[in-house]
Amino acid sequence: MKNLLDQINTPSRAVVVAFLAVVLTGTGLLSLPVAVAGGESASWTSALFTATSAVCVTGLAVHDTAAHWSFFGEIVLLVLMQIGGFGIMTLSSILAVVVSGKLGLRARLNTQAETKTLGPGDVRRVIVGVAKVTLVAEALTATVLAARFVIGYGEPVGRAAYYGIFHAISAFTNAGFALWPDSMMRFVTDPWICLPLISAVVAGGLGFPVYAVLRQNWRRPARWTLHAKITLGMTAVLLFGGAVAVTVTEWNNPGTMGGLSPGLRIMAGFFHSAMTRSGGLNSVDTSQMSESSWLISDVLMFIGAGSASTGGGIKVTTFALLGFVILAELRGEPDVSAGRRRIPEQLQRQALTIALLSVASVAVGTFAMMTVTPFKLDRVLFEVISAFGTVGLSTGITADVGPLGHLILTLLMFVGRLGPVTLGAALALHVQTRRFRYPEERPLVG
C-alpha cells in the first residue's frame, strides 16, 4: 500500500498541484471586478466553481456565461479551457505511452518507486503531436462556425470569428461553455452549427494515442493497436446507440424534440449523445427531458470518452475491459481476450478498481448533495455524474444548489478530471513481486 501511495504522491502530485495552481489563478482572475460584466467582484465560490469547471473542461455554470462575465472574463475562461484540455490530453498521452512501454524509459521518477520517465525528445514529440491535433481540429471547427455565423446570421466578421474560436475550443476540449443563455438550443435546426460541434467533441474524445496509430496505419486497420480498436469501436457504439435511445424516448416530447421534423429530431438525438461523452453543450432543453432520457444520459456520461483525451468519465476502454471480463466468465474461458489478444490480469484489476472507485465517488457525492439540496434523486444524480464525468450537462439546478452544493460539485469536477488519470497511471506503474502465495480458499459468490 505504501508503494502505491508513493506512486500516486510522486509523479501525480506535481500534476495535481499544477492543475490546482491553474484553478486558483483562474479563480483570482475571475474574482476581479473587470471580469464581471456589471463591474462588481464575483463571489469566491462563484469564481472557484467557474474556474474549476473551465480548467477541468466540465462546463457547469453558476451564471449565464455571456451575461455575467465581461469580455475579459470570457477570455479568461477561454484560456483556462485551452490549458485544461491541452494539459490533460498531453499528460494522459505521455503516461499512456510510458505504461504501454512504447518509448524508452531512462530515469527514475523517484528513489522509492520503480517507475521511470521519458527522455526530453520523446516528451517533446508527444507534446508537439498533441498541439498539432488540437490546433488543426480547433482551426477547422472555428472556420466552419465563423463562416456560418457570417453567412447565415449576418454577424460581423470579428464577432463571428470570436464566436467560432470560443465554441471550437469549448467543443474540442469538451468544456461545454457557450456564449448564449440557452447553449446551442437556438441552433437545433442548423446542421452547419450542430454537425461541426459534434465532430469536434468526438474528435477531442478519441485521444492522441488513437491519432498516433491512425497517422501511421489509417489504411491498415489490421495493424491498429487494441486500444485504438476498442476506442473507435466503443465510440461508434455509444454514439449511435445513445442517439437511437435518446431519440426514441424524446421523439414525442413537446419540450425537447416533439416539435421538430423527423430529420432534425435525429440530428438532435446525435447531438445529445455526442455531448454526453463530455461535450456539455445542449441543443434541446435538458431539463425538459424524460426521466428515461436522464438515465440513459447518466450511463453515457459515466462511461465518458477515450483515454488520454479531453473527455471525462471512466473511459470507454475501462468499460469495454469490464465487458470482456464478464464475457469470458460467462463463457467459462480461462483467459480474458479481445481482438485475439489476451488481457493481462493486472489490467483487469485496474479497470475494476477505477470503475468501483468512480461508482463510490458518485454515490458519496450524490448522498452529500441530497443532504444539502432540496432536489430529488434523479436530478441530483444527473448533476453529480455530470460533474464527476466533467460533462457539463444539467437539468437546470446548478445555480440553485447553494454554496455547499457548489463546493461539492467543485470537488467532484476536480476529482473526476484528475482522479482516474492519476490513479490509472499509479496502478499501471505499480508492479509488486511476492515470493510466496497464500493458500487458496473459495468464499461463496452470488
Side-chain angles (χ1 to χ4, degrees):
M1 182 64 181
K2 182 179 182 298
N3 289 338
L4 178 57
L5 291 177
D6 289 337
Q7 295 278 12
I8 296 175
N9 288 337
T10 304
S12 302
R13 179 173 55 192
V15 175
V16 173
V17 170
F19 267 77
L20 183 60
V22 176
V23 168
L24 295 178
T25 301
T27 301
L29 292 174
L30 292 176
S31 299
L32 299 174
V34 69
V36 181
E40 299 180 358
S41 299
S43 66
W44 74 271
T45 53
S46 172
L48 176 64
F49 184 94
T50 306
T52 305
S53 185
V55 175
C56 296
V57 290
T58 304
L60 289 175
V62 179
H63 306 288
D64 175 14
T65 301
H68 182 77
W69 303 106
S70 65
F71 178 72
F72 174 82
E74 292 174 4
I75 294 298
V76 171
L77 290 178
L78 191 66
V79 173
L80 293 178
M81 288 189 293
Q82 190 70 289
I83 291 175
F86 179 78
I88 201 67
M89 196 172 181
T90 302
L91 163 71
S92 303
S93 300
I94 292 175
L95 291 178
V97 175
V98 173
V99 170
S100 65
K102 294 193 177 296
L103 294 181
L105 305 180
R106 299 181 181 178
R108 292 177 183 263
L109 284 173
N110 57 79
T111 57
Q112 297 176 335
E114 303 244 344
T115 57
K116 302 177 183 179
T117 188
L118 294 167
D122 296 328
V123 173
R124 189 180 303 112
R125 282 194 292 271
V126 172
I127 294 176
V128 171
V130 173
K132 288 181 179 179
V133 170
T134 301
L135 293 178
V136 169
E138 290 177 351
L140 290 175
T141 306
T143 301
V144 175
L145 293 178
R148 182 57 178 168
F149 289 137
V150 172
I151 298 173
Y153 299 93
E155 294 286 354
V157 175
R159 182 181 297 176
Y162 174 62
Y163 284 164
I165 293 172
F166 187 98
H167 294 95
I169 292 176
S170 180
F172 182 78
T173 61
N174 281 223
F177 282 94
L179 295 178
W180 294 280
D182 59 355
S183 188
M184 293 293 152
M185 289 174 57
R186 65 187 61 194
F187 304 114
V188 66
T189 61
D190 192 342
W192 289 100
I193 299 294
C194 292
L195 295 183
L197 291 175
I198 292 174
S199 301
V201 167
V202 173
L206 292 179
F208 177 72
V210 173
Y211 288 115
V213 171
L214 294 179
R215 177 176 173 271
Q216 297 178 351
N217 299 296
W218 69 278
R219 291 185 176 181
R220 294 170 288 185
R223 296 190 178 183
W224 293 356
T225 62
L226 182 60
H227 170 77
K229 293 178 180 178
I230 291 176
T231 301
L232 292 170
M234 287 300 300
T235 296
V237 170
L238 293 174
L239 178 62
F240 285 90
V244 170
V246 171
T247 304
V248 169
T249 55
E250 295 297 316
W251 189 265
N252 293 318
N253 186 346
T256 55
M257 304 178 188
L260 302 175
S261 66
L264 293 178
R265 294 182 200 184
I266 294 174
M267 185 175 69
F270 270 98
F271 192 93
H272 183 79
S273 180
M275 296 306 150
T276 57
R277 295 175 49 76
S278 197
L281 301 170
N282 60 284
S283 63
V284 295
D285 191 349
T286 311
S287 66
Q288 297 299 314
M289 283 185 163
S290 65
E291 294 180 357
S292 299
S293 296
W294 286 347
L295 180 59
I296 295 169
S297 301
D298 288 342
V299 174
L300 294 174
M301 291 190 297
F302 185 76
I303 296 172
S307 300
S309 74
T310 60
I314 64 172
K315 304 298 186 293
V316 293
T317 45
T318 303
F319 181 75
L321 287 179
L322 295 178
F324 293 137
V325 171
I326 295 173
L327 185 61
E329 186 64 25
L330 293 177
R331 291 177 174 177
E333 297 178 353
D335 296 321
V336 177
S337 59
R340 297 185 178 180
R341 294 292 186 272
R342 182 169 55 86
I343 307 299
E345 292 183 2
Q346 181 187 5
L347 195 61
Q348 300 172 36
R349 293 195 296 268
Q350 292 167 20
L352 182 61
T353 300
I354 291 174
L356 290 181
L357 287 179
S358 298
V359 170
S361 298
V362 170
V364 172
T366 301
F367 174 78
M369 288 290 289
M370 291 288 291
T371 61
V372 300
T373 66
F375 300 104
K376 294 183 179 179
L377 176 61
D378 50 5
R379 291 181 181 270
V380 170
L381 181 62
F382 190 101
E383 200 82 5
V384 167
I385 295 179
S386 180
F388 181 80
T390 66
V391 179
L393 293 173
S394 175
T395 59
I397 67 173
T398 306
D400 302 320
V401 297
L404 286 178
H406 291 150
L407 291 177
I408 294 171
L409 293 177
T410 298
L411 181 60
L412 284 169
M413 288 188 287
F414 195 83
V415 172
R417 177 73 279 182
L418 294 180
V421 174
T422 55
L423 179 61
L427 291 173
L429 295 172
H430 177 63
V431 179
Q432 183 176 356
T433 58
R434 178 175 289 174
R435 298 182 182 276
F436 65 92
R437 302 180 71 181
Y438 292 109
E440 182 179 283
E441 185 173 349
R442 293 177 176 268
L444 295 178
V445 176

